[in-house]
Amino acid sequence: MSMRRRTLLGLGAAAATGAGMSLLGSSAAAGALSPRMASPRQAPTEQFAIGVRQFSWSRGNRQLTTKIFYPASGTAGGNPIPNAPIANGVFPIAEWSHGMGCNSDCYSSQTHDLASAGFICPAPSFSDNTNIGSVYNGNWSRDVSEVLTRTLALNNTAGDPFAGHIDTRAGVGVSGHSMGGMTTHGLLTAWPDNRIVAAVPVACVDMGNPAGLHANVLFIHGDHDPTCDYNSARTAYAELPSPKAFLTHVGADHGQYLTPEYRYYAQTKNTFLDWFRWSLYGDTAARDRLRSDATSNGTSWQAALT
């Protein structure tokens, strides 16, 4: 899609629904990794305790305070434990980008779910978190690429607790909501990062022409979204090659389906996690669950997985 055809975000309805939730999200940087498919293996079936580490990174003059949520040793459940020992194993990266006026703590349902399920989830806090222009000019997408580079580097940093625990072979996943969803779609289009093999833009608008990345892309959107035009996301979906899927929450607004209190939150959570299990672990059983994950009286599902 050309720049002229993009649907601009309507900021008049800028408050996202749900406790601690906010809005929207682009990146450049190719990177040292070549895109490749995950070696088929079963994703973890147990739930992990959650650890969290905070990093003060930067890209030029842009501050990138980033929390990394990760599978930790110990008993599952409860709040993230700062600097907890990482669990035994090697885990893929699935990043999350927050929305307008928010930070890395706003979407705890998503970041904590990813870590508990066996993913390393870097979640940057964008320093200009109310500036929609920084999404449209690519700064947020480039920020995500920088965060991915810094996170991957920890795998080979002598003495770092993550050393040897990050799966650097299967590529990376990215996701986010609203401005974060736009950032995610930007990483597939205007500011591509060829390390990305899985993406979940949530409540996004079309950010441009597909860049030809070999990525599995899942869109999640409410069809009564007053902030990010549902039809723009549908256009973005239509332009991408398979594998791809679109989970619509019928009658839902901009973000209520991301909160555990929502009636059809299970459809969001299970589809979101199984998409990454399939894409980053190569877990074909997770792929085969996707239709049942997504299906309910309050959702519709469209997919082209081959």
Side-chain angles (χ1 to χ4, degrees):
M1 168 172 285
S2 69
M3 290 289 289
R4 291 180 182 176
R5 287 170 54 208
R6 292 182 191 164
T7 300
L8 292 175
L9 175 71
L11 294 181
T17 302
M21 202 152 286
S22 192
L23 303 185
L24 312 177
S26 121
S27 169
L33 292 183
S34 298
R36 59 187 72 181
M37 293 301 293
S39 299
R41 58 181 172 134
Q42 185 182 58
T45 56
E46 76 274 22
Q47 296 294 297
F48 293 94
I50 304 168
V52 61
R53 297 174 64 190
Q54 182 166 309
F55 297 85
S56 297
W57 292 329
S58 63
R59 183 178 66 85
N61 62 358
R62 292 181 61 78
Q63 297 303 305
L64 294 174
T65 300
T66 300
K67 288 188 176 181
I68 300 181
F69 301 90
Y70 58 92
S73 59
T75 303
N79 294 322
I81 303 168
N83 302 309
I86 191 169
N88 291 330
V90 178
F91 306 103
I93 290 173
E95 178 270 349
W96 178 267
S97 294
H98 66 73
M100 178 177 284
C102 209
N103 58 39
S104 58
D105 290 324
C106 289
Y107 294 81
S108 58
S109 296
Q110 285 66 55
T111 58
H112 296 184
D113 283 348
L114 284 167
S116 179
F119 298 92
I120 292 173
C121 178
S125 292
F126 301 101
S127 55
D128 50 352
N129 64 3
T130 61
N131 185 2
I132 186 67
S134 283
V135 176
Y136 279 114
N137 69 18
N139 267 325
W140 280 32
S141 290
R142 294 185 181 98
D143 288 348
V144 170
S145 282
E146 182 67 27
V147 166
L148 292 172
T149 296
R150 299 291 189 106
T151 304
L152 287 162
L154 297 174
N155 191 61
N156 297 314
T157 301
D160 190 90
F162 286 173
H165 288 283
I166 301 176
D167 187 346
T168 62
R169 298 174 300 172
V172 299
V174 291
S175 56
H177 173 247
S178 196
M179 275 170 64
M182 294 165 65
T183 294
T184 302
H185 192 248
L187 285 162
L188 306 172
T189 55
W191 305 281
D193 188 321
N194 68 5
R195 297 169 296 186
I196 294 169
V197 298
V200 184
V202 182
C204 75
V205 297
D206 193 341
M207 294 296 287
N209 295 319
L213 301 187
H214 298 286
N216 301 346
V217 186
L218 166 66
F219 292 80
I220 305 177
H221 215 116
D223 65 357
H224 281 50
D225 189 333
T227 305
C228 288
D229 182 40
Y230 175 73
N231 290 324
S232 180
R234 293 294 307 176
T235 298
Y237 171 80
E239 291 174 339
L240 284 171
S242 59
K244 61 182 179 178
F246 204 112
L247 171 60
T248 299
H249 282 272
V250 179
D253 65 14
H254 187 54
Q256 62 192 130
Y257 47 85
L258 293 175
T259 62
E261 296 79 15
Y262 187 63
R263 182 177 180 183
Y264 301 112
Y265 173 71
Q267 281 66 42
T268 299
K269 174 181 176 178
N270 295 336
T271 308
F272 177 68
L273 292 179
D274 273 345
W275 193 263
F276 281 131
R277 289 183 181 115
W278 168 44
S279 302
L280 297 176
Y281 278 97
D283 189 335
T284 56
R287 177 201 60 200
D288 295 343
R289 289 193 299 265
L290 287 167
R291 177 173 291 278
S292 60
D293 287 342
T295 301
S296 74
N297 290 333
T299 58
S300 68
W301 174 248
Q302 180 180 358
L305 301 184
T306 58

